[in-house]
Amino acid sequence: MIHRTDWRRGLATYRPVGHSRDVPRIDRFRNDKPVILFGNPTAQSGKAAELIRHARALLDQVGVAHRFVATEPDGKTIELVRKTIDDEGT
């Protein structure tokens, strides 16, 4: 992965391994707040937990601050997401 900054536009970018284009870093969109990863670790008979761990490892690898919030049953996830965004300003 190649990190660089395009000083003309003031954007930090990186080029993921195997990609031919630079992509903007997520920092530009998150305003110094952690990314919130929502997911259901019990989905797919618990197999989703490994996918969530993998996603978090990738975020760690590229230095993106984040936290995980598990979804809730019985249609409560929408309110959980709304409350999390409102409370944390994410």
Side-chain angles (χ1 to χ4, degrees):
M1 181 175 336
I2 300 170
H3 295 271
R4 68 177 109 218
T5 300
D6 182 341
W7 298 108
R8 294 167 297 184
R9 294 184 294 160
L11 301 175
T13 63
Y14 71 101
R15 181 172 296 171
V17 174
H19 289 257
S20 62
R21 290 189 186 157
D22 288 348
V23 294
R25 294 207 28 102
I26 197 167
D27 300 324
R28 162 181 160 186
F29 304 104
R30 64 184 185 90
N31 298 320
D32 294 325
K33 296 187 184 210
V35 169
I36 301 174
L37 176 64
F38 291 93
N40 181 353
T42 62
Q44 301 173 1
S45 300
K47 293 177 186 173
E50 179 56 35
L51 295 173
I52 292 166
R53 278 192 291 279
H54 183 69
R56 295 188 79 184
L58 292 173
L59 290 169
D60 285 337
Q61 182 180 356
V62 295
V64 174
H66 65 280
R67 73 182 194 89
F68 172 73
V69 176
T71 57
E72 295 187 354
D74 303 322
K76 296 177 184 172
T77 296
I78 293 171
E79 180 60 24
L80 172 68
V81 171
R82 187 206 57 77
K83 184 175 181 349
T84 303
I85 291 170
D86 287 349
D87 291 352
E88 298 184 22
T90 303

